[in-house]
Amino acid sequence: MKPQNLDIQTSEVWQHLKSGEDFPTGFTMRGTLPADPDGVELMLEGWEAGSTEPPHCHPGDDMTVMSQGEMHVQFYLEQDGKLLKDGPIEVFHQGETAYIRKGRIHSVLYASECRLVYVHSGEFDFIESKLPQA
């Protein structure tokens, strides 16, 4: 079964929004870890042009907002002890948002200098795949 693509409606990044007694009317938020046990981890990332990340996954859904640059993401499926490419490379540009489901294996090429706002649902981890690519 092919994993469902995420978006603002389905990503766990946007779950657990809370309102508070002292919050303005209509405002909800999700805090950051460790202060909010249902929180997110947030990173501002800078990547040099040509930088890459090997096939890996994360333990929670993530959301990457492209503040600058061009990012290429290749998804993979595990089959017979190997990684098979799952569809064409997806390209994200400045102003776009990429969502990746927890546990979904992917690699990344930063085709130009990139500045990203990265939000991870729950505690962040980088889990590199040890499987060879088919």
Side-chain angles (χ1 to χ4, degrees), residues 13-115:
V13 168
W14 290 101
Q15 303 300 311
H16 307 293
L17 296 175
K18 300 172 184 146
S19 59
E21 188 175 298
D22 297 329
F23 289 8
T25 301
F27 174 71
T28 58
M29 58 93 57
R30 184 176 182 190
T32 56
L33 296 170
D36 180 350
D38 290 324
V40 298
E41 287 197 330
L42 171 72
M43 290 179 252
L44 299 178
E45 297 183 5
W47 291 90
E48 294 179 3
S51 297
T52 61
E53 294 181 77
H56 67 281
C57 66
H58 307 288
D61 288 356
D62 66 61
M63 177 183 79
T64 301
V65 179
M66 299 293 300
S67 295
Q68 173 187 319
E70 180 176 303
M71 176 179 77
H72 298 192
V73 179
Q74 176 66 63
F75 291 103
Y76 299 90
L77 295 173
E78 293 182 18
Q79 186 175 356
D80 299 325
K82 293 185 180 177
L83 293 178
L84 299 176
K85 290 182 181 179
D86 182 18
I89 292 171
E90 296 187 26
V91 179
F92 298 93
H93 299 94
Q94 180 177 333
E96 296 179 332
T97 303
Y99 288 93
I100 299 178
R101 181 171 302 286
K102 63 183 169 189
R104 188 150 189 218
I105 299 171
H106 60 286
S107 61
V108 183
L109 165 66
Y110 299 95
S112 63
E113 183 177 342
C114 289
R115 296 289 179 260

